[in-house]
Amino acid sequence: METQTFDYVIVGGGSAGCVLANRLSADPKVSVCLLEAGRQDNWHWIHIPVGYLYCIANPRTDWMYRTTADPGLNGRDIHYARGRGFGGCSLINAMIYMRGQSRDYDHWAELTGDSSWNWESVLPLFKKHESHHLGDSEFHGGGGELRVEEQRLSWEVLDRFREAAREAGIPYTSDFNSGDNAGSGKFEVTQKRGIRWHAGKAFLKPVLHRPNLTVVPFAWARKLYFDGRRCTGVEIWNAYPQGAESRFYAARREVVLSAGSIGTPQLLQVSGVGEPGLLQTYQMSVNHALPGVGANLQDHLQLRTAYKVQGIRTLNEIAGTLAGKAKMALEFALHRTGPLTMAPSQLGIFWKSRPEMASPNIEYHVQPLSLEKFGDPLHPFPAFTASVCNLRPTSRGHVRIQSPQWDVKPEIHCAYLSTEEDRKVAADALRLTRRIVAQPALAPYYPEEFLPGPLYQTDAELAQAAGNIGTTIFHPVGTCKMGRADDPMAVVDSQLRVIGLEGLRIADASIMPTITSGNTNAPTMMIAEKAAAMIKAAA
């Protein structure tokens, strides 16, 4: 088996891996290797924002996972998209730039005993790589690699929904990223002049010329190797189109896992690092017992409520005709504006499901369209969707291997709505949606609820409805959580070093001890920014 040796080997070329490769290779005295199972972004649908419709559930750009049948979803299993290729989930995500709330990071600092994870400390890391369309300010950076812009289209139906929310007591906000995201506003997105600006484009492409950076596509990690407690490198299966072979990439200093909240725990488990009982089930040697590997899975479950309307334009009727499609294509080609630049959601609202909450605990993604489920055609009638998710779910799932073989997909059990608190938040959120839609601002358009439908009224009925309409919003985190040394379920310490091992760190969304109060891509890149600084400091 061919062996190559580098100072640092990064497993996973997603949002975190691209940041790490950029920052670590900035030192010309060290060698860096980035391994990615996918390929470069040489497909036009990756760059056109609405192309997520073609990238999700496509094996070219999606790992094509499925969850287990979930009692909380009334026995349904669901597609669980994870990005594949240089850029990872930023190739296929909603492009929404959202940091969460200051309380999220202050809580991480408390859980880890490390104040460097609090909001005041991580804000400069967010700003460092941000290129905000308004430039430098108290909360934003203007000189970084990650472009953040306003969306390049507007919809009156969304403006009316926002006004209805104000009438229901939810104020406007001009910035979701100041540490307090309460209110309603238009999402800002990781785009540059109407083109998706993913992590590979922002962080990796500009530094591919560096002689000390080696980038390997089609590199599927098979196993980590150890010399005693020290991780020495990773074996990969190089599935090149012209042939396949095993290779070994050795690390003089560190291996950094950035394979995501599904891939990272799976790789640890097939390498003999994890809960001993699980590993012994498959007659595997236990290289290092860490029961928290794969546990603590958290995700934002979105409840898709939908309403028919009259007398106001939505995407349903525009996209349903050849003339409408041609107009959209022409507008994008000439001006980089219009529906083809759409993120999946344009309007966001953060609010409390009940007044006693300390800060907003639900998030709306409001869309000028409707469909039965992702992948289905749009409905033939005018309608909008108001998806609402519980930002801080108390339900916990897991990721577990189903075989010692590296190429067998793991079991993903989300355990949605498995706690009474989560079911209560779901019922309250659906009631709040109805209260917003009943306000005068939307009355002229005669909104008529058809998902989940007005028959569901009691807490029990609304929890049942949530199970019918709920689906992932693609924010899995927490499966290799960060914590104190006395936390038996912690996988990494506050320096992101795998507890009890040497030469191995994790830098991706799996280290989040608790999920952030908003979309998770921006926090994942911040984690990588912080990890790179830690690695450099340790060296």
Side-chain angles (χ1 to χ4, degrees), residues 137-152:
S137 66
E138 180 184 2
F139 295 112
H140 294 283
E145 298 91 344
L146 185 70
R147 186 64 177 168
V148 178
E149 295 185 348
E150 295 178 312
Q151 297 194 54
R152 299 165 69 89

Side-chain angles (χ1 to χ4, degrees), residues 367-537:
Q367 306 153 328
L369 55 87
S370 68
L371 39 73
E372 285 301 311
K373 65 180 186 298
F374 188 86
D376 286 358
L378 299 181
H379 288 128
F381 46 79
F384 67 84
T385 299
S387 293
V388 60
C389 70
N390 180 354
L391 289 172
R392 293 188 286 277
T394 54
S395 299
R396 297 291 184 267
H398 63 250
V399 174
R400 295 175 183 164
I401 55 171
Q402 301 186 90
S403 164
Q405 299 301 312
W406 55 277
D407 55 350
V408 175
K409 292 178 180 177
E411 174 187 279
I412 303 170
H413 180 61
C414 296
Y416 293 124
L417 300 173
S418 58
T419 67
E420 183 60 35
E421 169 65 15
D422 287 359
R423 292 190 290 273
K424 173 63 174 170
V425 171
D428 288 342
L430 292 173
R431 287 195 180 97
L432 177 59
T433 307
R434 289 172 174 171
R435 185 157 65 87
I436 293 171
V437 175
Q439 298 302 312
L442 283 168
Y445 312 110
Y446 305 101
E448 177 187 350
E449 178 184 334
F450 66 96
L451 281 177
L455 293 179
Y456 301 93
Q457 293 295 330
T458 68
D459 277 7
E461 290 169 343
L462 288 170
Q464 177 77 9
N468 291 337
I469 63 175
T471 190
T472 179
I473 206 165
F474 307 118
H475 296 166
V477 308
T479 51
C480 294
K481 78 168 186 172
M482 175 173 58
R484 298 174 187 258
D486 59 357
D487 182 349
M489 297 303 287
V491 176
V492 297
D493 63 17
S494 67
Q495 296 289 303
L496 306 186
R497 299 169 296 202
V498 176
I499 294 171
L501 296 175
E502 299 175 2
L504 183 62
R505 290 190 210 231
I506 300 175
D508 57 31
S510 71
I511 68 94
M512 296 185 188
T514 52
I515 196 166
T516 54
S517 302
N519 307 67
T520 53
N521 191 236
T524 299
M525 288 184 275
M526 181 279 291
I527 289 167
E529 189 78 73
K530 185 169 177 61
M534 291 172 171
I535 291 167
K536 288 183 175 183

Side-chain angles (χ1 to χ4, degrees), residues 165-381:
R166 188 194 63 77
E167 292 171 340
I170 302 173
Y172 291 172
T173 184
S174 60
D175 190 353
F176 284 133
N177 289 299
S178 65
D180 176 6
N181 55 17
S184 71
K186 294 182 178 179
F187 288 124
E188 292 184 324
V189 290
T190 50
Q191 292 183 11
K192 190 170 185 177
R193 294 189 291 275
I195 299 294
R196 178 187 287 270
W197 202 247
H198 61 78
K201 194 179 295 185
F203 297 100
L204 189 60
K205 281 193 173 183
V207 300
L208 286 175
H209 65 280
R210 291 176 178 170
N212 63 329
L213 175 61
T214 298
V215 174
V216 185
F218 303 105
W220 197 340
R222 301 177 72 169
K223 186 179 180 182
L224 299 171
Y225 280 72
F226 298 90
D227 181 2
R229 291 297 183 191
R230 182 169 189 82
C231 183
T232 58
V234 57
E235 179 188 350
I236 63 99
W237 179 250
N238 226 148
Y240 283 119
Q242 64 268 30
E245 60 182 347
S246 290
R247 293 184 181 180
F248 184 73
Y249 290 87
R252 296 186 192 93
R253 298 187 181 182
E254 295 191 35
V255 173
V256 187
L257 303 186
S258 297
S261 292
I262 309 302
T264 288
Q266 180 189 17
L267 178 58
L268 287 169
Q269 290 168 355
V270 298
S271 304
V273 178
E275 200 281 311
L278 172 66
L279 304 180
Q280 291 163 358
T281 298
Y282 299 106
Q283 291 78 52
M284 297 173 62
S285 298
V286 181
N287 288 326
H288 185 54
L290 272 178
V293 172
N296 194 47
L297 174 63
Q298 300 157 62
D299 190 14
H300 291 142
L301 177 71
Q302 65 169 333
L303 308 179
R304 296 178 55 254
T305 69
Y307 292 79
K308 295 180 181 179
V309 289
Q310 302 176 35
I312 195 167
R313 186 180 63 130
T314 72
L315 185 62
N316 286 12
E317 60 271 28
I318 297 173
T321 67
L322 288 176
K325 291 176 181 176
K327 184 177 182 296
M328 290 190 297
L330 186 63
E331 185 176 0
F332 180 79
L334 294 178
H335 307 294
R336 294 291 187 266
T337 59
L340 293 191
T341 69
M342 281 176 60
S345 300
Q346 295 80 57
L347 177 65
I349 298 174
F350 291 82
W351 204 240
K352 302 175 183 180
S353 63
R354 50 187 188 267
E356 61 267 28
M357 292 293 176
S359 66
N361 70 314
I362 58 175
E363 175 186 7
Y364 282 90
H365 293 78
V366 192
Q367 306 153 328
L369 55 87
S370 68
L371 39 73
E372 285 301 311
K373 65 180 186 298
F374 188 86
D376 286 358
L378 299 181
H379 288 128
F381 46 79

Side-chain angles (χ1 to χ4, degrees), residues 79-90:
H79 180 77
Y80 216 61
R82 296 284 85 202
R84 186 173 188 172
F86 288 101
C89 289
S90 69

Side-chain angles (χ1 to χ4, degrees), residues 101-142:
Q101 298 170 11
S102 60
R103 69 180 302 280
D104 301 330
Y105 305 98
D106 293 343
H107 187 47
W108 291 5
E110 292 171 8
L111 291 173
T112 61
D114 185 343
S115 63
S116 74
W117 283 101
N118 66 24
W119 171 251
E120 183 180 357
S121 300
V122 302
L123 177 58
L125 299 173
F126 281 112
K127 294 172 64 175
K128 179 179 178 180
H129 60 239
E130 184 184 15
S131 173
H132 193 266
H133 64 99
L134 294 179
D136 287 305
S137 66
E138 180 184 2
F139 295 112
H140 294 283

